[in-house]
Amino acid sequence: MTTPAAAHPRPTLRREAWTDLDGTWGFAHDDEDRGLAERWYAPEAAGRFDREITVPFVPESEASGIHDTAFHPVLWYRRTITAAARPGHRTLLHLGAVDHTADVWVDGHHAGRHVGGQTSFTLDLTDLLDAGEEHVLVVRALDDPLDPEQPRGKQDWREEPHGIWYHRSTGIWRSVWLEEVAAQHVTAVHSTFDMPRARVELSVRLARRPAPGTTVRASLRAGEEVLGSVEVSAHETRVELVVDVPAVRNTQDRDRLLWSPEHPALVDMDLQVLEGGEVRDEAASYLGLRTTGIDRGHFLLNGEPYYVRSVLEQGYWPTSHLTAPSEDARRREVELIKELGFNAARIHQKVEDPRFLRWADELGLLIWGETANAYAYSPRAAALITAEWSEIVEQCRPHPSVVTWVPLNESWGVRDLADSLPQRQLTVALTALTKALDPSRPVVSNDGYELMGGDVIALHDYTTDADALRRSWASEDSAAALIAGRGPQRRRPIDDAAVDLHEGAPVMVTEFGGIAYAAQGTWGYATVSSPEEYQEKVASLFDALHASEVVTGFCYTQLTDTLQEANGLADADRKPKLDPAVIRAFVTGRREG
C-alpha cells in the first residue's frame, strides 16, 4: 500500500469519490437545551451559531479554537456542504466519532441518531437533500459530564482534571466526510487468514439485497505479485469468499508474506461488485497474513511464541486532546513507540483513529484494542457498553495490528464484581460476546485483576520496589502464590467464580511502572528527583520482569505524560526523558555492562 492510503479516514475500505468535511464549522453551546424546541437544525437558524470551531477537535481543546473546558452537555455544529448524487448513486455522510449521542439533520430533515462516543457511523443523505447542490448540515451532540453509566474512559467527572483523569472530549472528535457510492456497494469487509490451508477467508457486507446475477470479486496482491483472486455469486447481503494463496503453501518461503512487527508485510485487496457482468462498485482495502493464538503459557503470533513488550498509550495530545493534531503526529506516535523498543501498545480507555491503526499496520506494531468504560453499573450501563463494544470489534477487526481485545479495565463499571452476580455476568458476557464476534483473537476479560475467564492472565502490579517486583514474578511458584492470594492490587487476580479461563493462559503484567519525573504537583505511582534516579528506577523495574521465568509479556505505564499524570517515558510533547537508545535497551532487555 502507498502512504496516501493512511490519510484516508477509513483506510480499510477506500474509494476515489470522497470529500473531507474537516475544518471550519459554525458552533454553539446549548447549556439550557433549547435547540430542539427552537429548531436550530433548520436552515434558517444560522444566526444561532455565533462561533466557529475547527472540526474534528473537541471544544475543550485549544486546537478547536474554542478552548472551553467547563461543563457544556449540549453542542451544536453547522456547515454548508456541496452534494449532488448522480443517478444510481448515493451520498453518504460518515462521522468518525461523536461523544456521546449525535443527531444529524440535512436541510432541516432528520437524517439519524447514533449513540456511542467511540465509534463511527454512516448516514445516507440522498433522499433528504433539497434541490440544488448547496445543503445545510447540522449536528447536535449530547454528552452528560456527570453520567457515570455512560462509557467515559479517562474523561473526568470533575470540572478540573485530577489524579489519572483528563479533560472531557465532548462532541465531534474524529473526521467527518462525504462519500459518493453506487446504490449497491460494499459496506464492510473482514478477513481471516487460514495459514495451514494457505487461504484467506473474506466476509463482505453489501448495502442491499443483491439483484439476480450480482457477483463479488476479490483479488490479493503483494506489490506486483498476484497472490490469488476469486469471484462468487451474491445471494445475501453477506457474501463469503475463500481466496486460495498458493504462495503460502511453500512453508520454507512463506515468511516473506507473513505480517509481524519485525516484518509488517501488507497485502493489497481489490474488491468489485458486478451486476450482470458490469462493475457497479470498486473499493480498495488491505490485510495482513498473520495468525494469533494462545498455547502452553504463550501468546502466539503466526504459530510461534511471541514476547509482548507493550506500552500504555493514552493517545492524548496537549493542544488537541484525544484527537491527534495531524497525520504526521499519528505516524510519529507509532514510530516513537517502536524506537523505544516496544513491539506493542495497549490503547487505553479509548478507541484509536483508523488512521493510527493503519500506521500500526504499515509500520508493524501490535495493538491491544480497548474501549472507554463506565464508572457505575446498571442495566442501562450494561446495554450501553455492550452495544458500543459490538461496534468497536466490528470496526477495528480489519486491522492486522489489532491482536487482542480488552473490553474491561480494572473492573471499571463493575467495581463490585466480587459481590454482585449481575456485574460478574456482564463481565463473562462481554468476554463471550467478543469471542462470538471475533473468534480469531485472544480476549482479556478484565485487564488488571478479578479476571472472569478469557485467554490471558493479565495483571497490574505497581510495586515500585524492583526487588519486591522481582521476587513476586521470579518463578512459577512465586507467581502462583501471588495469583492465589489478593494480588499486587489487593484484589483477587482471578475471581472465585471465574469460568473458562484458557488452560494455557499466558501470564502478563499488563500495567507496571508509572514512575514520575516531573514538576511538583504532578502525579505518579512513585516520584524521583533526577534523571539519574529516574533511569535507575525505571530500568530496574524492566529488569525485574525480564528476569521472570513465568512472565511472557508486559505493558509499561506509560508512553507520555498526560496533563498532571506525569509518569510517561516521554513528556507531553513526545520528547523522551532519556536517550531513546537507553530506554530501548532496558525495554528490550539487551543492556550492556
Side-chain angles (χ1 to χ4, degrees):
M1 299 297 293
T2 58
T3 298
H8 192 285
R10 188 187 55 200
T12 58
L13 191 60
R14 308 183 312 279
R15 297 181 181 87
E16 295 291 335
W18 69 280
T19 303
D20 187 358
L21 296 184
D22 288 349
T24 302
W25 290 53
F27 177 78
H29 288 126
D30 185 14
D31 293 346
E32 297 180 9
D33 199 11
R34 300 182 307 183
L36 288 173
E38 296 178 357
R39 294 174 52 85
W40 290 16
Y41 51 82
E44 61 270 19
R48 297 289 188 181
F49 296 82
D50 56 351
R51 307 181 71 178
E52 291 186 339
I53 188 171
T54 302
V55 169
F57 304 114
V58 294
E60 290 89 349
S61 73
E62 180 182 337
S64 72
I66 303 296
H67 201 197
D68 185 343
T69 60
F71 290 157
H72 296 292
V74 182
L75 311 177
W76 288 79
Y77 300 78
R78 183 186 191 275
R79 70 160 289 165
T80 301
I81 62 173
T82 301
R86 292 175 290 148
H89 288 71
R90 312 295 294 179
T91 297
L92 304 183
L93 174 69
H94 302 275
L95 294 102
V98 183
D99 202 356
H100 174 261
T101 299
D103 282 278
V104 180
W105 293 263
V106 62
D107 295 337
H109 309 294
H110 190 244
R113 165 175 286 196
H114 179 264
V115 178
Q118 300 289 305
T119 52
S120 64
F121 60 102
T122 300
L123 300 172
D124 188 338
L125 304 184
T126 312
D127 298 331
L128 305 176
L129 299 175
D130 287 347
E133 295 188 357
E134 296 291 311
H135 308 280
V136 175
L137 180 64
V138 174
V139 177
R140 176 184 184 265
L142 170 64
D143 189 14
D144 184 348
L146 302 178
D147 183 357
E149 297 176 358
Q150 177 179 300
R152 308 187 56 80
K154 300 295 283 287
Q155 299 184 56
D156 210 324
W157 64 96
R158 299 183 187 176
E159 194 156 340
E160 291 299 321
H162 77 290
I164 62 171
W165 288 276
Y166 314 143
H167 285 300
R168 291 158 300 286
S169 289
T170 308
I172 298 173
W173 66 280
R174 291 212 296 258
S175 289
V176 184
W177 51 293
L178 281 177
E179 184 180 30
E180 184 183 278
V181 298
Q184 179 63 290
H185 60 275
V186 175
T187 62
V189 58
H190 299 117
S191 65
T192 302
F193 177 44
D194 187 336
M195 190 160 61
R197 296 184 181 182
R199 68 186 193 181
V200 173
E201 299 170 357
L202 299 176
S203 181
V204 174
R205 179 72 66 176
L206 299 179
R208 57 183 62 188
R209 183 169 293 280
T214 299
T215 61
V216 175
R217 180 186 297 161
S219 61
L220 306 180
R221 293 175 291 104
E224 298 300 317
E225 180 184 2
V226 177
L227 298 179
S229 63
V230 68
E231 183 174 346
V232 302
S233 297
H235 301 285
E236 304 285 344
T237 54
R238 189 180 69 180
V239 183
E240 306 290 340
L241 305 91
V242 176
V243 185
D244 289 321
V245 186
V248 175
R249 293 198 183 101
N250 184 342
T251 57
Q252 300 304 315
D253 186 52
R254 72 184 180 190
D255 286 356
R256 67 184 177 86
L257 296 172
L258 301 186
W259 186 95
S260 71
E262 295 72 27
H263 181 64
L266 292 179
V267 172
D268 290 319
M269 175 164 52
D270 297 316
L271 294 169
Q272 294 180 324
V273 180
L274 302 90
E275 293 180 342
E278 183 177 347
V279 175
R280 299 296 187 192
D281 181 43
E282 292 185 274
S285 186
Y286 67 90
L287 53 89
L289 301 179
R290 66 106 186 91
T291 64
T292 61
I294 298 296
D295 184 59
R296 302 185 184 186
H298 294 279
F299 171 81
L300 302 182
L301 183 66
N302 297 327
E304 298 182 359
Y306 193 89
Y307 194 97
V308 177
R309 302 189 308 270
S310 183
V311 67
L312 200 69
E313 164 66 311
Q314 307 283 4
Y316 192 100
W317 280 263
T319 63
S320 57
H321 297 195
L322 292 179
T323 308
S326 67
E327 189 59 36
D328 286 344
R330 277 187 280 264
R331 175 172 186 150
R332 181 61 192 141
E333 192 86 338
V334 175
E335 291 174 337
L336 175 63
I337 293 169
K338 296 203 69 175
E339 286 173 9
L340 297 183
F342 298 100
N343 56 27
R346 179 176 162 219
I347 309 302
H348 193 43
Q349 288 300 293
K350 69 173 285 196
V351 177
E352 262 300 350
D353 191 294
R355 290 163 293 193
F356 176 93
L357 298 179
R358 163 69 205 201
W359 285 120
D361 296 337
E362 183 165 309
L363 300 177
L365 182 70
L366 303 183
I367 297 295
W368 285 34
E370 196 170 314
T371 185
N373 291 156
Y375 297 164
Y377 175 81
S378 72
R380 171 176 172 264
L384 284 172
I385 192 171
T386 300
E388 190 164 17
W389 182 245
S390 298
E391 289 187 356
I392 290 166
V393 174
E394 167 75 11
Q395 293 174 14
C396 295
R397 276 178 61 197
H399 294 275
S401 57
V402 178
V403 296
T404 304
W405 296 117
V406 184
L408 291 172
N409 170 72
E410 291 187 343
S411 301
W412 288 18
V414 287
R415 192 66 176 172
D416 301 311
L417 179 153
D419 303 306
S420 168
L421 178 60
Q423 294 183 30
R424 292 200 300 273
Q425 289 173 328
L426 174 61
T427 307
V428 172
L430 285 172
T431 305
L433 173 65
T434 308
K435 288 178 170 292
L437 295 173
D438 179 15
S440 71
R441 292 171 170 94
V443 180
V444 177
S445 66
N446 181 22
D447 204 298
Y449 42 71
E450 295 178 331
L451 294 161
M452 294 287 298
D455 299 303
V456 181
I457 300 175
L459 303 178
H460 299 174
D461 191 341
Y462 281 110
T463 303
T464 56
D465 180 331
D467 290 336
L469 186 68
R470 183 184 294 262
R471 288 193 298 272
S472 293
W473 301 103
S475 66
E476 291 187 5
D477 288 343
S478 63
L482 189 74
I483 293 170
R486 291 295 293 187
Q489 299 299 97
R490 296 186 298 176
R491 297 175 77 90
R492 297 170 180 170
I494 300 175
D495 190 84
D496 289 349
V499 294
D500 296 331
L501 186 62
H502 195 288
E503 185 177 351
V507 174
M508 298 189 188
V509 180
T510 48
E511 285 186 30
F512 79 107
I515 308 302
Y517 167 50
Q520 186 177 4
T522 57
W523 188 93
Y525 288 92
T527 303
V528 297
S529 58
S530 70
E532 293 77 17
E533 186 182 2
Y534 179 76
Q535 178 174 334
E536 188 281 329
K537 190 73 169 176
V538 175
S540 67
L541 295 175
F542 276 98
D543 288 347
L545 293 185
H546 279 302
S548 171
E549 68 178 32
V550 62
V551 171
T552 60
F554 57 70
C555 180
Y556 184 81
T557 303
Q558 58 188 356
L559 179 64
T560 67
D561 292 350
T562 306
L563 298 180
Q564 73 284 350
E565 190 179 5
N567 49 22
L569 292 169
D571 65 19
D573 293 319
R574 276 53 184 176
K575 180 181 178 181
K577 296 178 181 177
L578 300 170
D579 184 330
V582 171
I583 297 176
R584 182 179 182 86
F586 53 69
V587 169
T588 60
R590 297 169 184 166
R591 301 174 65 190
E592 297 181 1

